[in-house]
Amino acid sequence: YFQELILQNFADALERYPQEKLKRQLGLATYYILNGQRSLARNHIYKIKQFMNIKVFLLWALSFMPAPWVKFLFLQYRRKNSL
């Protein structure tokens, strides 16, 4: 879990860069959801200070969806954003 290692080892430095920290937190939660560790993802999402951010809320909502839906939506997102 590369994002988890970065968040643990560079927590103080990331406090100075809130957008970078949020990006890594969302990446870690996304990994947990795709890996089937939904409750761990939700626990991690609750720790995010910018919980009112729409991206954070959508990721939280995804953690309750069936796995095939999540994988489909993730693939669509990746296709759209890889262009």
Side-chain angles (χ1 to χ4, degrees), residues 11-52:
D12 294 336
L14 286 172
E15 290 299 326
R16 289 180 263 149
Y17 304 97
Q19 290 300 322
E20 184 65 26
K21 182 178 179 180
L22 178 62
K23 178 181 171 183
R24 298 199 178 274
Q25 289 172 318
L26 294 175
L28 181 59
T30 300
Y31 173 79
Y32 285 144
I33 291 170
L34 292 170
N35 196 32
Q37 297 174 316
R38 296 165 182 276
S39 62
L40 188 56
R42 283 191 288 273
N43 288 339
H44 187 72
I45 290 169
Y46 287 132
K47 295 177 186 177
I48 298 174
K49 292 179 182 175
Q50 300 94 333
F51 193 79
M52 298 310 292

